[in-house]
Amino acid sequence: MSIVEVERLSKQYPSFTLKEVSFTLEEGRIAGFIGRNGAGKTTTIKSMLNLVHPSDGTVRYFGLPIAENEAAIKQRIGYSTGTVNYYPKKRLKDLAAVTKTFYPNWDEAAWREYLQLFALDENKAPAELSEGMKVKCNLAMALSHRAEVLILDEPTSGLDPFSRDELLELFLMLKERGVAILFSTHITSDLEKCADDIIYIRDGAIVHAADTENFRQKLGEEGETLEETMLRLERSVRHA
């Protein structure tokens, strides 16, 4: 079941154009969003969240366009750019106390569950946490208002391999709970471990969006990893 629909999303800047980007996110599936720096991943994500206003196109969550239903939709989705950058000296318990005032569906039991699951000490401040723990804190905040969709921009960037593996295990657990996850990444080996679908963007346009097996069959060559496929495709364009 499609719970996020991106249709012909476009955004024009003086030096870059997002060109009719379309794809869907399915309930209980993990989608990896890949492409070079400057390909349009962050612009797409910000447009999906109405943080920038697209020139054209529609984004629907749960069948509702975000342009007319932003407040209601954002009660049901979570967004993270990775680490917690706000109020670095405030304790996690104080940050949670403020955050919950914005979400009528805040689940205190879930917050406690994620604190324990991620081994987070609520009496510590973000400035005292490792980069991996900051990412987990941000995710715990998002998940504690029962987010049904997670949109994550480079959530594993800068993390050590052990912390990345822990996050990927979390994604697989959330998938089992029916959460839809879109995460952009340059670390394509992470996608080998958990992605059900791949969305590949280049120069502001979607090259291919499909389930991982279909993606491999259409764009990959025998024995290639996803990283090798992407590098070959990017080189072929550069040398064309």
Side-chain angles (χ1 to χ4, degrees), residues 30-235:
I30 299 170
F33 196 18
I34 62 173
R36 299 184 65 162
N37 284 337
K41 299 188 300 297
T42 296
T43 299
T44 299
I45 286 173
K46 287 184 174 180
S47 297
M48 290 174 66
L49 295 162
N50 219 26
L51 298 175
V52 300
H53 299 296
S55 309
D56 201 4
T58 304
V59 180
R60 293 185 179 87
Y61 295 83
F62 321 107
L64 303 171
I66 193 170
E68 293 85 23
N69 302 275
E70 183 173 357
I73 286 170
K74 286 188 175 178
Q75 291 290 324
R76 302 174 66 183
I77 67 176
Y79 166 60
S80 174
T81 56
T83 61
V84 180
N85 295 316
Y86 52 91
Y87 300 120
K89 302 297 185 181
K90 293 286 188 181
R91 293 180 301 174
L92 301 189
K93 67 193 308 182
D94 298 323
L95 293 176
V98 172
T99 301
K100 72 172 67 174
T101 64
F102 294 97
Y103 294 101
N105 56 344
W106 178 271
D107 187 338
E108 187 66 21
W111 169 244
R112 297 287 159 195
E113 176 188 355
Y114 288 116
L115 284 177
Q116 183 174 9
L117 180 67
F118 300 155
L120 287 164
D121 182 351
E122 66 177 342
N123 290 307
K124 286 189 174 183
E128 300 176 84
L129 302 178
S130 68
E131 292 304 304
M133 296 302 278
K134 288 177 184 177
V135 172
K136 291 178 183 179
C137 177
N138 216 359
L139 287 173
M141 293 279 186
L143 293 166
S144 294
H145 67 267
R146 302 177 188 169
E148 299 164 62
V149 178
L150 282 180
I151 299 176
L152 311 172
D153 195 0
E154 298 284 352
T156 60
S157 179
L159 299 185
D160 61 82
F162 182 78
S163 294
R164 292 210 325 269
D165 278 344
E166 284 187 321
L167 278 185
L168 298 180
E169 288 175 12
L170 169 64
F171 292 166
L172 292 170
M173 180 191 76
L174 294 172
K175 167 186 167 178
E176 293 301 314
R177 297 184 180 185
V179 177
I181 300 172
L182 171 71
F183 76 101
S184 69
T185 184
H186 290 100
I187 308 171
T188 50
S189 59
D190 287 348
L191 302 182
E192 305 269 8
K193 299 174 182 176
C194 71
D196 301 295
D197 304 294
I198 304 292
I199 302 162
Y200 175 29
I201 190 169
R202 183 173 63 213
D203 295 329
I206 298 296
V207 176
H208 195 50
D211 65 81
T212 304
E213 183 60 30
N214 179 294
F215 187 91
R216 289 181 183 279
Q217 289 179 357
K218 184 172 179 64
L219 298 181
E221 295 184 350
E222 187 174 354
E224 278 188 334
T225 64
L226 284 173
E227 180 177 13
E228 289 167 341
T229 298
M230 184 178 167
L231 287 172
R232 175 175 50 78
L233 293 171
E234 291 292 331
R235 287 178 183 135

